[in-house]
């Protein structure tokens, strides 16, 4: 039972990444709407930030898998 709880807590990193990506995307859309000529630079920065945020979600997933498989 404790293993499942630990794995669930590790997967919660995905929620944070999802919220962060959603907020960043909303702000990027607002920025592009205000300054359409800077859309390329804004989009590049957004994609880099989303990739970094998604990496934290993947780390949480890997941690949860390791908890399930290695802790007995």
């Amino acid at each position: 039972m404790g293993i499942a709880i630990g794995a669930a807590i590790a997967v919660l990193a995905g929620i944070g990444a999802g919220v962060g990506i959603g907020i960043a995307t909303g702000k990027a859309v607002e920025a592009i709407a205000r300054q359409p000529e800077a859309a390329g630079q804004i989009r590049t920065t957004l994609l880099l930030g989303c990739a970094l945020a998604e990496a934290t979600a993947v780390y949480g997933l890997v941690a949860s898998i390791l908890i399930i498989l290695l802790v007995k």
Side-chain angles (χ1 to χ4, degrees):
M1 181 71 170
I3 296 171
I5 293 172
I9 291 172
V11 171
L12 287 177
I15 293 174
V19 169
I21 291 171
I23 292 171
T25 303
K27 295 295 183 178
V29 169
E30 288 178 15
I32 291 172
R34 291 177 189 209
Q35 245 181 343
E37 64 275 1
Q41 186 177 7
I42 294 168
R43 189 175 303 115
T44 303
T45 306
L46 171 69
L47 291 177
L48 181 61
C50 287
L52 292 173
E54 196 64 35
T56 61
V58 172
Y59 293 149
L61 177 66
V62 169
S64 69
I65 291 172
L66 289 175
I67 289 170
I68 291 171
L69 296 178
L70 299 179
V71 176
K72 295 234 177 191

